[in-house]
Amino acid sequence: MKPFDYIRAETPADAMRADARIIAGGTNLLDLMKLQVETPSTLVDVTRLGMTEIERAENSTRIGALVTNSDLAADPTIRQRYPMLSRALLAGASGQLRNKATTGGNLLQRTRCPYFTDISQPCNKREPGSGCRAQGGYTRLHAILGASEHCIATHPSDMAVAMRALDARVEIESNDGATRILTFDEFYNLPGDTPEKETNLAPGELIVAVHLPDPPAGRQTYRKVRDRSSYAFALVSMAAAVAVEQGRIASAAMAFGGVAHRPWRSPDAEAALVGREPSAELFDEAADILLADARGQGGNDFKIPLTRRVVKAVLTELTGA
Amino acid sequence: MKTTLTVNGETHELDIDPRVTLLDALRHHLNLTGSKKGCDHGQCGACTVLVNGRRINSCLALAVMHDTDEITTVEGIGTPENLSPLQSAFVRHDGYQCGYCTPGQIVSARGMLSEFRQGWPSHVSDSLTEAPDFTDAEIRERMSGNLCRCSAYPGIVRAIRDAAPEETDGKEAAE
Ligand SMILES: Cc1cc2nc3c(=O)[nH]c(=O)nc-3n(C[C@H](O)[C@H](O)[C@H](O)COP(=O)(O)OP(=O)(O)OC[C@H]3O[C@@H](n4cnc5c(N)ncnc54)[C@H](O)[C@@H]3O)c2cc1C
Ligand code: FES
Ligand code: FES
């Protein structure tokens, strides 16, 4: 690890400094600092700032940025009202890691692309302009949707996929006293030609909370497909909520992990389901729309048919079709 | 940097570089070598310790961030003369071969049992709202953060199942 100065934030203002890197659970940042993928010169520890409450408000639930992944998964409100979120968290990492991992840190964890984490390789995300060795290389973990010629990395989080399906928003504070609340599509970027700019968080800004609107109608689930049945990142995952009324789909929300640079959603695929009777043909039609622009890199070609099968399995489970 | 660590009930004043992980502080500064370094990247669980009653990977923690926290290592769970129920069950059921992963397995199992008693669900629980059953599938899933290169898993699961009713330190993980 490169040497760094350590500051313990006593107030949120202490944490909002453009010249320091925030550390929360440390389970991603320290891992990457040991590999010298991350080399901050100053760390500001936010773990004594509170922000550990899960508050129920009028039409939403507010999750403090330092709520641990374990506490969030075990919270009675989340288990009852947002089961897909509990399920997504419980499908991620291990008991030990979830006890340390925080809500804010989980959102900002970096890709598991092996070329990003190997500093002897070029990587546009780590070193803009150096190239992308993943393309033409080992691509089992990589994106099939929304990738660019500069970067084909995926976002590794399970939690963020469920939050995306739930239309969550990220509450951010900065040192000028301003608060911004961003949707996930505003918060996360696609790689384009600036894959190093993963989010719209500016230096010195602090994530203080995530807001969940009231849960969507119908049944919810989270399905994760991986190389081992536990303790492995998603190859493909899907968070979904579907309501069926009088034999027809009344509403559908679907978000996907393991397939893109950010949790992926296809409003057109969702719209195609609404008002229709659930059936295998209809689910195929939704998968066609979702995957219309999907492109494999060789090693991840399997994700295209796998995503289709996950869509069909999850929609069958939720609609009973 | 001055840091106070309370380990197995004893308070230690350290002056350490902020880069020192909690694992290295325990092993290299306090000579508590029970906690093991397997991967140093949060992947194997050999370094598992309890912080304020909760299990974490001490290799992905900075010691300075745990100033004043209460840490329990395998040395604090029992001694060769006075094994805890989990420790003697690991011996009885052959819950190891080389033994390298064992301290992490035992500390992790202690933390896991406390999580279970609080009704936390797991990935394999059928219901998120009803108390889970203590099945082997639950033990395996909840212990998946502890790898055993010798693959002593059947004995590990038996040992945890056997010791579960007795293994508690009387305090549950902090709410
Ligand atoms: C072996 C292993 C397996 C894993 N498996 C999975 C898995 O299957 N699924 C999954 O989803 N995840 C998995 N993870 C990743 C884990 O979920 C993340 O490491 C964790 O969620 C990160 O949270 P943290 O609090 O530790 O973040 P940190 O490491 O503290 O921080 C991560 C980033 O977030 C920034 N940050 C943190 N908090 C804030 C804030 N409040 N405001 C602004 N910036 C902030 C930091 O500056 C840093 O850039 C795994 C990790 C490991 C090591
Ligand atoms: S040494 Fe900490 S998890 Fe492997
Ligand atoms: S007993 Fe050898 S690694 Fe588990």
Side-chain angles (χ1 to χ4, degrees), chain B residues 115-147:
Chain B
E115 294 164 7
F116 190 89
R117 283 192 295 267
Q118 292 173 72
W120 289 12
S122 86
H123 174 63
V124 300
S125 307
D126 288 331
S127 166
L128 286 178
T129 46
E130 281 156 43
D133 292 328
F134 195 63
T135 60
D136 286 1
E138 287 281 1
I139 297 175
R140 284 196 200 95
E141 165 59 26
R142 290 166 192 261
M143 292 296 293
S144 72
N146 290 85
L147 306 190

Side-chain angles (χ1 to χ4, degrees), chain A residues 1-4 6 8 23-27 30-31 34-35 43 45 47-48 68 70-71 73-74 79-80 83 86-87 90-91 94-97 99-100 112 226 229-231, chain B residues 1 18-19 21 40-45 48 54-57 59-62 64-69 108 115 119-123 125-129 141 144-147:
Chain A
M1 244 188 257
K2 291 264 164 73
F4 55 83
Y6 169 83
R8 183 174 300 140
I23 183 162
T27 60
L30 291 174
D31 193 0
K34 288 182 182 189
L35 298 168
L43 281 188
D45 171 1
T47 57
R48 315 232 169 172
T68 64
S70 306
D71 283 325
R79 279 150 75 176
Q80 280 160 24
S86 271
R87 290 279 179 206
L90 294 170
S94 66
Q96 289 95 316
L97 288 161
N99 277 340
K100 214 151 196 296
R112 310 302 283 200
R226 43 185 161 171
S229 59
S230 187
Y231 201 19
Chain B
M1 194 173 161
R19 285 175 289 181
T21 61
D40 215 18
H41 285 278
Q43 299 172 354
C44 74
T48 305
R54 288 198 175 185
R55 55 179 173 159
I56 66 154
N57 299 121
C59 69
L60 289 187
L62 293 176
V64 290
M65 289 178 70
H66 290 287
D67 187 47
T68 70
D69 281 343
S108 181
E115 294 164 7
W120 289 12
S122 86
H123 174 63
S125 307
D126 288 331
S127 166
L128 286 178
T129 46
E141 165 59 26
S144 72
N146 290 85
L147 306 190

Side-chain angles (χ1 to χ4, degrees), chain B residues 12-34:
Chain B
H12 303 269
E13 309 285 344
L14 298 176
D15 194 358
I16 47 174
D17 187 293
R19 285 175 289 181
V20 175
T21 61
L22 180 57
L23 177 60
D24 287 345
L26 293 168
R27 289 182 57 85
H28 303 161
H29 294 261
L30 299 176
N31 291 330
L32 289 167
T33 52

Side-chain angles (χ1 to χ4, degrees), chain A residues 21-31 38 46 51 65 69 91-93 97 100-102 104-106 108-109 112 156-159 201 205-207 224 231-233, chain B residues 41-43 60:
Chain A
R21 191 65 180 275
I22 287 168
I23 183 162
T27 60
N28 189 233
L29 188 55
L30 291 174
D31 193 0
E38 302 266 21
V46 296
M51 304 199 290
N69 287 183
L97 288 161
K100 214 151 196 296
T102 64
N106 191 314
L108 290 173
Q109 63 175 302
R112 310 302 283 200
S157 171
D158 291 291
M159 179 194 84
L201 199 69
E205 281 188 317
L206 175 71
I207 298 179
K224 179 174 181 180
Y231 201 19
F233 286 93
Chain B
H41 285 278
Q43 299 172 354
L60 289 187

